[in-house]
Amino acid sequence: MAPSGPGSVRRRCRRVLYWIPVVFISLLLGWSYYAYAIQLCIVSMENIGEQVVCLIAYHLLFAMFVWSYWKTIFTLPMNPSKEFHLSYAEKELLEREPRGEAHQEVLRRAAKDLPIYTRTMSGAIRYCDRCQLIKPDRCHHCSVCDKCILKMDHHCPWVNNCVGFSNYKFFLLFLAYSLLYCVFIAATDLQYFIKFWTNGLPDTQAKFHIMFLFFAAAMFSVSLSSLFGYHCWLVSKNKSTLEAFRSPVFRHGTDKNGFSLGFGKNMRQVFGDEKKYWLLPIFSSLGDGCSFPTCLVNQDPEQPSTPAGLNSTSKNSENHQFPAKPLRESQSHLLTDSQSWSEISTNPGKGKTGMSNPALTMENET
């Protein structure tokens, strides 16, 4: 067993520090339960019917809040599958070749059968030197997790985890239920908060819990409403936080709406086809996180007007670095009724299955 050096000790200390925001939220949630369920409902409320209704509604919201928060924290980020990793021979070639066209030629050969449509700002293949893999579309390297994350949205310190393909639905539900939780507390606590200032409450410790509970719930309601609204807008446009700051680059150039398929299909891509699972923190997102349908609204005039799922002609293969690749079977049905695309013919035999199961962190693309 190798001795632990200073670097290893620093990494362990950082891991412990990263859990501080989660511990803070957990303690705050525990106190809010005591303040609301015990001090407000049981001690301060005199009407039995009001007590029962408030406690039932509160525990329902509390359970959904904790469930979605737990899933967001402990769902592992998904990483690119083995097909995107370079072989040993390809790695040796990259090490021998200098940065430049020869370097890119090696990556082009490695990426010729991969479902990749995006590039770097300079038009090069998106390659991660640290993970030594070709990045799938919408995949980015997280400097905190030190790995490439599929459909990375951001690294969130409040959950000590990367928010990406595998837990983005859980993160949205966490924001939604935490907002409802705070709004419900503020609304039901308001009349007792007013009584506090008008000396309508008995002089016990409950009055101070009621006062601080209202302040905390109202404050978090404001901040959570703006954050939740922003992510609802991102879902409606089929964007990640990273893509909102820097638009993806396709063969035809930068396109901020390149992955948007319309509001309904954008929602289904995150929440799935079965609406009965939409409000539950159960994974139901479509696809495998490695490939996504695209809507090329500013197509290269030299390209034929065919969807990304159809194979390019030999002429276009010469003009473009990436030939068109088939979509994953689980994603391609989103495009079948799109008016701007012709009928997609997918070959299930070519689609490869995904992998095991995600503070804004930008990756350094080369």
Side-chain angles (χ1 to χ4, degrees):
M1 182 176 177
S4 58
S8 177
V9 174
R10 282 196 296 269
R11 283 193 296 272
R12 288 172 185 165
C13 290
R14 280 200 298 268
R15 289 195 194 103
V16 172
L17 292 175
Y18 289 154
W19 283 102
I20 290 178
V22 176
V23 172
F24 172 76
I25 293 295
S26 301
L27 292 175
L28 188 62
L29 189 61
W31 167 78
S32 69
Y33 182 90
Y34 170 76
Y36 188 88
I38 306 299
Q39 295 295 335
L40 178 61
C41 291
I42 296 178
V43 175
S44 301
M45 288 184 181
E46 297 178 352
N47 188 302
I48 300 298
E50 183 183 9
Q51 279 184 342
V52 172
V53 171
C54 286
L55 283 173
I56 291 175
Y58 173 79
H59 281 90
L60 178 62
L61 290 174
F62 181 82
M64 298 305 295
F65 179 11
V66 172
W67 186 10
S68 57
Y69 189 45
W70 177 275
K71 293 284 286 186
T72 307
I73 294 172
F74 294 105
T75 299
L76 295 177
M78 288 180 66
N79 312 121
S81 57
K82 292 181 179 179
E83 61 186 316
F84 291 90
H85 290 259
L86 298 184
S87 65
Y88 180 77
E90 289 166 339
K91 291 177 184 177
E92 281 194 328
L93 280 174
L94 278 185
E95 290 175 359
R96 289 200 299 265
E97 298 292 349
R99 293 278 179 180
E101 185 57 33
H103 193 272
Q104 280 295 303
E105 183 59 34
V106 175
L107 294 178
R108 277 197 291 270
R109 288 198 299 268
K112 69 181 187 300
D113 294 323
L114 297 177
I116 297 174
Y117 306 102
T118 55
R119 305 179 181 181
T120 65
M121 295 297 292
S122 61
I125 294 176
R126 300 172 67 243
Y127 175 73
C128 179
D129 287 310
R130 194 156 180 88
C131 299
Q132 294 187 313
L133 57 82
I134 295 171
K135 295 180 184 178
D137 292 343
R138 316 185 82 174
C139 174
H140 301 274
H141 186 88
C142 174
S143 60
V144 180
C145 299
D146 195 26
K147 60 181 70 173
C148 284
I149 308 298
L150 294 180
K151 197 189 175 184
M152 179 177 172
D153 188 86
H154 67 287
H155 187 94
C156 181
W158 298 107
V159 300
N160 189 29
N161 200 0
C162 251
V163 177
F165 176 75
S166 64
N167 66 348
Y168 187 62
K169 177 191 172 183
F170 306 149
F171 178 73
L172 284 172
L173 292 178
F174 158 60
L175 293 179
Y177 287 123
S178 59
L179 175 60
L180 289 174
Y181 180 79
C182 292
V183 170
F184 175 79
I185 288 177
T188 53
D189 187 29
L190 178 59
Q191 60 173 313
Y192 298 94
F193 178 75
I194 294 173
K195 289 181 180 180
F196 171 84
W197 293 106
T198 57
N199 295 319
L201 289 177
D203 192 14
T204 62
Q205 65 171 351
K207 65 187 300 185
F208 297 101
H209 285 288
I210 290 170
M211 180 185 69
F212 288 115
L213 185 64
F214 179 82
F215 275 128
M219 179 183 66
F220 278 103
S221 295
V222 173
S223 58
L224 285 169
S225 61
S226 59
L227 185 59
F228 179 63
Y230 175 68
H231 278 277
C232 286
W233 176 79
L234 289 178
V235 171
S236 70
K237 299 295 183 181
N238 205 337
K239 294 181 180 181
S240 66
T241 303
L242 292 175
E243 291 164 353
F245 279 85
R246 185 173 61 194
S247 299
V249 181
F250 295 88
R251 285 188 294 263
H252 59 277
T254 302
D255 192 338
K256 65 180 181 179
N257 296 314
F259 292 109
S260 181
L261 306 173
F263 179 79
K265 294 176 183 178
N266 294 343
M267 288 285 291
R268 285 161 53 197
Q269 196 173 97
V270 174
F271 291 96
D273 288 327
E274 299 189 64
K275 293 184 179 180
K276 62 183 178 181
Y277 296 124
W278 280 20
L279 299 181
L280 298 176
I282 298 171
F283 185 82
S284 57
S285 301
L286 299 181
D288 60 3
C290 286
S291 64
F292 297 90
T294 60
C295 182
L296 305 181
V297 296
N298 295 316
Q299 289 199 8
D300 189 328
E302 294 184 2
Q303 279 190 253
S305 57
T306 57
L310 297 178
N311 292 328
S312 301
T313 62
S314 58
K315 178 180 178 181
N316 283 291
S317 296
E318 296 174 359
N319 293 338
H320 300 287
Q321 292 183 0
F322 301 123
K325 308 296 189 303
L327 289 171
R328 308 291 185 182
E329 185 179 4
S330 56
Q331 290 271 10
S332 60
H333 77 278
L334 287 173
L335 299 177
T336 54
D337 58 344
S338 178
Q339 294 181 356
S340 61
W341 295 62
S342 59
E343 184 180 359
I344 294 178
S345 175
T346 58
N347 184 359
K350 289 206 172 187
K352 298 183 182 179
T353 57
M355 49 262 96
S356 61
N357 283 343
L360 193 61
T361 307
M362 307 291 286
E363 93 289 4
N364 182 21
E365 293 181 343
T366 58

